[in-house]
Amino acid sequence: MLKYFLIIFILFPAAYATQTPCGPQLAALVSDRLQMVEVAAGMREFDKQKGVQMLTADEREALRIIIRDGIAYDNKGNIVPDSQNAKHNIANYVMDSSGNFYLFDERVTPLIRHSSIFDEGPVAGAGNIQIKNGKIVYCDSDSGHYPSKPLFPQVIVQLKASGTDTSTFQADKYYKKH
């Protein structure tokens, strides 16, 4: 057993320099291998016709949330308020190649869509999300801009690594009331 530990330590010394990674640290290690998907065919033209707004890096950063111990915080450290809109009180999210989540509501800001966050660039996940009392209680992969259903398992891994209970989340394109 010691022999295997030494081999692992020699191959991956940074992994043992501090505590064994968990939560966000584990998510960061996993995120190096996140798959990405390009915007769906025809959506660039749709965005252009509809006047969809593309965000700057600063505008994108303002939408980033941090999930720690199952609680979602905005980029200022405040607990994210309950999602509230006319469609089942869900909001929208995009996940980047590092496993960061960006939250927006296309019903409140109709010119901001999944494609807006990264200027129609590739994403590691996109869909709908519901937050109650700071906790993510629903998540799916429903995005017209990105064919993100195959990427949903890696979204789940990121959420689990951040302490979120994902047992009821689904990749399908329908909302299951919570």
Side-chain angles (χ1 to χ4, degrees):
M1 179 117 147
L2 180 60
K3 176 176 152 181
Y4 294 113
F5 175 78
L6 290 174
I7 292 170
I8 291 170
F9 181 75
I10 291 167
L11 293 175
F12 306 103
Y16 290 92
T18 61
Q19 298 177 7
T20 302
C22 62
Q25 292 171 335
L26 176 60
L29 291 175
V30 173
S31 70
D32 290 339
R33 295 181 291 278
L34 292 179
Q35 294 180 341
M36 303 290 280
V37 66
E38 297 286 337
V39 71
M43 293 313 292
R44 284 185 170 87
E45 185 60 32
F46 172 87
D47 287 350
K48 186 177 178 181
Q49 289 175 357
K50 298 292 182 180
V52 171
Q53 178 186 348
M54 299 301 147
L55 302 184
T56 66
D58 288 341
E59 291 169 326
R60 177 176 53 246
E61 182 60 23
L63 299 177
R64 187 167 61 91
I65 62 171
I66 295 131
I67 307 161
R68 188 173 53 246
D69 299 325
I71 304 293
Y73 298 90
D74 66 19
N75 67 347
K76 294 180 174 120
N78 301 310
I79 293 177
V80 173
D82 292 0
S83 44
Q84 297 180 354
N85 69 29
K87 186 182 176 188
H88 308 294
N89 291 328
I90 58 173
N92 312 97
Y93 77 91
V94 171
M95 187 174 79
D96 70 13
S97 62
S98 296
N100 295 307
F101 285 81
Y102 301 84
L103 189 65
F104 66 101
D105 187 342
E106 66 186 30
R107 281 154 192 79
V108 174
T109 53
L111 296 180
I112 306 287
R113 309 297 278 195
H114 287 112
S115 57
S116 300
I117 309 304
F118 288 100
D119 195 12
E120 296 178 329
V123 301
N128 301 307
I129 197 164
Q130 184 180 33
I131 298 175
K132 286 185 181 176
N133 300 318
K135 292 184 179 185
I136 298 170
V137 297
Y138 175 82
C139 186
D140 68 27
S141 62
D142 184 11
S143 170
H145 279 81
Y146 292 97
S148 57
K149 186 174 180 177
L151 303 179
F152 195 61
Q154 68 188 15
V155 171
I156 294 297
V157 166
Q158 293 298 122
L159 291 171
K160 281 182 179 180
S162 299
T164 301
D165 175 10
T166 63
S167 61
T168 62
F169 297 175
Q170 57 214 16
D172 300 318
K173 294 185 173 188
Y174 59 87
Y175 175 77
K176 183 177 176 183
K177 190 164 179 113
H178 288 86

